[in-house]
Structures are given as structure tokens and as C-alpha cells.
Amino acid sequence: MIYTYPDYYKKFSCIADKCPDTCCGKWQIVIDDDSLEKYEDYNGEYRDELRRKVNWKEGVFRHGRSGKCAFLRDDMLCDMYIHMGKESLCTTCREYPRHTEEFENVREVSLSLSCPEVARILMNITDKVTFVTEEDDEDEVFDDFDYFLYSNLEDIREAILNVIQDRSVDIRSRIERVLQIGASAQRHYDEGDLVMWDECEEQDKPEIHGEHEEYMLLQKQAMFLIEDLELLYDDWEDVLIESQELLFSAGEGKFVENREKFETWWRDNSVRAVDGESHISMEVFIEQIIVYFISIYLLGAVYDGNIDGKVNACVGHAVELYMLLMARWLKNGDDLVMDDLIELVYRYSREIEHSDENLEQVEMLDWFG
């Protein structure tokens, strides 16, 4: 069995009550069967409290009047953990924000950007992200697993990561090349000749949009988030509507002017933490977001063959976050700081990655057509 994880994986440690937006909030936490059985058999002093706060019929933790997990105390610590210890936690509570993608004899382990602390860690990394590989003696066989396709997808992912992390090339050119690789790989896959995926042709190049066409495309992409995706949090819809108003209400000319000012500001200042120390450039920010999504989701095409859809979605997420940051800058001006960036990243991730419906939908959208 091969295990891979990003080089920053072991930097994570839950900050518990220091977290600005706890995962014990409004999420519906499903309890795994083993934990549910353990809770049913528990006869310690905490038994009555435990039984009252578990929804046994649905197999989930109840929420209090505040909408947060019934076990979350006012001091933002877990009451179950305090009374029953770490081993009492269900699989979700014990593992999050760790995330695992499973393939035959491969486990790809990552940290979810939906966690504020993970977002903080990644947004403070300015070096290129690398991946660590470990191996053990375990062996397994998946029924009908297409190892040939999987192997080609690994090569495609490696090529995309090399392209997007080539900082000698401007970020727009890198993105165009990534999209071209995705289109070429999909075409060759559809033609039954994926082994030739790197033979990109003119037809695989993304359409080069003029200023007006790009403005219309960005408007369309912004509407995806409101009209095409499941909204998990009401206050996120408020963010999207406000952002669209800030970005597009004054028309194309003002948008172009604002975008030039925003990019100039970011280039001259970077986005800094409140302490004035940590910072990240726009190009590195976009790179890290694309690396994150590509590294987690591209290999999933082994199960559905949707290579281009996954590539487009991974790039689309970076574009959407760029636009949300621009809107936040229009709102806050030069007071835009790292905390704004981190907040938008983890909240965006929650909306996309915590919904199976959204994960499927973003890979079907016409992001760049």
C-alpha cells in the first residue's frame, strides 16, 4: 500500500477553542456504526448526557438551540472529549480535517481547506508544495479497477503540477497550458488512446478571450456559485450576492479599472497578516489553490473518465476565489489582510467540498467555454 500526503500535512494540529469557526458548528455529523454501538453500550457517569445528545434514530449528534453540536460547550471545547476522552470521538470528529481518496493499493491523504487552521497553514506557504510517499506491506485488489487509466492519470497530474508550479512562467500562461493538457487528455481518452495524452494540438488550446468576452465569462462563473450550486449556509449566499454587486454593478469599464487597481495593489503590497509578517503574492495564491484541488480530485477520473471536467473545475475554483478576494478588497480597500483571504478560502471550500452534489456539479459546468 502506498500512502501520499502533502509536505505540510504534519504541520496540522487542531487549535480547538482558538479556532475562529469551529467544525462543531452547524455541520450535521454522522456517527459511524462502531462509535454508535460504543455509545449505546456506555454505562459511565456521562451516560445520561450522552444518550440525550445523540439522535439515535438518525445516527447523528443533536444540535443545541444555537445550531451548534450539542456537545460543544460555551468555551468552544467538546464536552464528550472532556468527560470520555479522545477515544470516545467518532470517526468524523477524530479524523477531520484529514481526508483520504482511495485507489487500489493507494491512499492519497490530504488536509481539507474547509478547516480554518489548514487554510491558514497553506496560505502561509510560499514555497512550492511537494508530496511525501510512504509504503507498507498491505495489499488489496479493487474489482474492475482500471490501473492503466490510473497510471496515465498519475502522469497527467504530475505534468499539470509541474506546469502550474513553474514560476518562471506567468500565471495566466501556466493556467492556459493546464487547461490545454486537460482538453488533450480528455480527447485522447475519448478516442481510446490516452497514452498519447501529451500530444496537444491546436484544438486543445483554450479559447483566448478578448477583454469583453473575459468580462462576460467572469460574470457567468460568478453566477455558477449562486444559481448552479447547492448553498449550504445562508450567510454564504449573502457573501456571493454582495461580491457580485461589488464586482459587476458598475459595468464593464469600472470592472476593468478596478481589476487593474486590485492587481497593482496586490503586486505592490501582497496580502499580509495582521501582524504584518506573513504574506502571499497573487500568483502563488492561485498556484497553491490549483495544486490543492488538482492533487486531490484529478485521479478520481479513474472512476468516471471526466478528466477535463476535473481540470476545469480545479482551475475554476482558483478563479472564483480570486474574484471573491477582489470583491473583498473593493469592500475593505487597503485593509484587506491575510485573515480575509483565509476566511474566504475555508468558507468556499466548505460550500464545495462538503456537498457531494456540488462536487459533481462543478465538474459538469462549462467554466471556460
Side-chain angles (χ1 to χ4, degrees):
M1 182 76 70
I2 296 172
Y3 299 86
T4 66
Y5 54 88
D7 55 11
Y8 57 86
Y9 179 80
K10 295 184 178 180
K11 292 182 180 180
F12 173 77
S13 179
C14 178
I15 58 176
D17 57 316
K18 304 297 190 298
C19 185
D21 197 350
T22 176
C23 55
C24 305
K26 299 178 181 179
W27 303 358
Q28 187 70 273
I29 300 174
V30 178
I31 307 169
D32 60 282
D33 291 341
D34 289 343
S35 295
L36 200 60
E37 183 177 347
K38 180 168 59 179
Y39 298 156
E40 289 176 337
D41 295 339
Y42 179 78
N43 285 311
E45 295 180 359
Y46 197 64
R47 182 177 184 275
D48 290 344
E49 193 77 2
L50 177 64
R51 297 195 67 80
R52 185 171 63 84
K53 293 181 178 179
V54 171
N55 182 331
W56 301 97
K57 182 179 180 180
E58 300 295 331
V60 299
F61 294 130
R62 296 187 186 278
H63 283 182
R65 292 181 179 178
S66 65
K68 297 179 180 179
C69 176
F71 290 101
L72 186 65
R73 301 173 4 152
D74 291 340
D75 60 4
M76 304 304 284
L77 295 175
C78 175
D79 203 51
M80 180 193 292
Y81 184 104
I82 289 171
H83 285 88
M84 296 174 58
K86 181 178 180 180
E87 297 305 314
S88 67
L89 299 179
C90 69
T91 299
T92 299
C93 294
R94 187 170 61 251
E95 295 296 326
Y96 180 81
R98 299 161 191 88
H99 171 80
T100 303
E101 293 286 328
E102 298 186 356
F103 308 98
E104 185 177 270
N105 281 324
V106 176
R107 295 295 182 270
E108 299 244 339
V109 187
S110 60
L111 294 171
S112 176
L113 272 181
S114 61
C115 168
E117 179 63 6
V118 175
R120 185 197 65 80
I121 291 170
L122 183 57
M123 293 299 96
N124 279 281
I125 294 174
T126 55
D127 293 334
K128 299 176 184 178
V129 170
T130 59
F131 295 86
V132 179
T133 299
E134 297 177 355
E135 190 171 354
D136 64 21
D137 295 330
E138 186 178 350
D139 192 32
E140 68 181 357
V141 176
F142 279 16
D143 293 337
D144 301 321
F145 187 79
D146 190 339
Y147 194 80
F148 176 76
L149 172 58
Y150 177 80
S151 179
N152 277 285
L153 289 170
E154 283 189 303
D155 292 340
I156 293 167
R157 182 175 68 173
E158 181 180 2
I160 287 176
L161 293 178
N162 286 337
V163 167
I164 204 63
Q165 291 184 310
D166 183 0
R167 297 181 181 179
S168 67
V169 179
D170 71 272
I171 192 65
R172 180 180 286 265
S173 296
R174 286 185 259 169
I175 287 174
E176 290 173 356
R177 177 59 179 166
V178 167
L179 294 176
Q180 183 181 19
I181 292 174
S184 176
Q186 188 67 58
R187 178 171 59 81
H188 283 92
Y189 172 79
D190 293 341
E191 294 171 355
D193 191 23
L194 184 58
V195 72
M196 308 299 288
W197 63 266
D198 59 341
E199 291 193 356
C200 299
E201 298 179 7
E202 191 68 26
Q203 63 183 303
D204 302 317
K205 291 183 178 180
E207 182 180 352
I208 304 300
H209 297 286
E211 195 172 86
H212 174 70
E213 289 76 13
E214 185 167 291
Y215 172 76
M216 299 301 294
L217 180 63
L218 292 171
Q219 270 194 312
K220 182 181 76 169
Q221 291 174 349
M223 290 306 298
F224 285 162
L225 300 184
I226 299 174
E227 295 182 345
D228 292 78
L229 303 184
E230 175 188 18
L231 288 164
L232 302 187
Y233 298 93
D234 292 340
D235 56 348
W236 180 246
E237 184 175 20
D238 296 336
V239 172
L240 298 180
I241 293 173
E242 179 185 53
S243 296
Q244 189 175 42
E245 177 75 13
L246 289 165
L247 291 167
F248 302 112
S249 64
E252 182 177 342
K254 190 64 177 178
F255 172 85
V256 173
E257 178 186 338
N258 286 336
R259 185 178 181 183
E260 290 176 353
K261 289 180 179 178
F262 173 57
E263 294 193 358
T264 298
W265 174 85
W266 200 343
R267 183 174 59 251
D268 293 344
N269 298 275
S270 294
V271 178
R272 301 181 182 278
V274 175
D275 59 18
E277 295 180 359
S278 55
H279 62 278
I280 188 169
S281 70
M282 181 181 67
E283 294 204 349
V284 171
F285 165 72
I286 293 173
E287 172 191 315
Q288 302 294 40
I289 294 298
I290 294 175
V291 168
Y292 169 82
F293 282 103
I294 284 288
S295 66
I296 294 175
Y297 293 105
L298 181 58
L299 297 188
V302 72
Y303 298 118
D304 62 14
N306 188 14
I307 304 169
D308 197 34
K310 287 176 170 56
V311 172
N312 285 344
C314 293
V315 174
H317 297 320
V319 174
E320 293 285 18
L321 280 166
Y322 163 87
M323 298 302 294
L324 289 170
L325 273 168
M326 179 176 163
R328 183 65 63 91
W329 176 78
L330 289 170
K331 179 180 179 180
N332 292 357
D334 292 349
D335 292 331
L336 183 74
V337 294
M338 181 66 78
D339 285 351
D340 293 298
L341 185 150
I342 291 169
E343 177 206 331
L344 288 171
V345 166
Y346 78 72
R347 293 185 68 186
Y348 181 88
S349 171
R350 288 181 181 184
E351 292 290 326
I352 300 299
E353 298 189 90
H354 288 206
S355 166
D356 290 339
E357 177 183 324
N358 286 345
L359 283 172
E360 292 177 8
Q361 183 67 10
V362 295
E363 295 177 3
M364 302 301 295
L365 295 174
D366 183 18
W367 285 96
F368 299 99

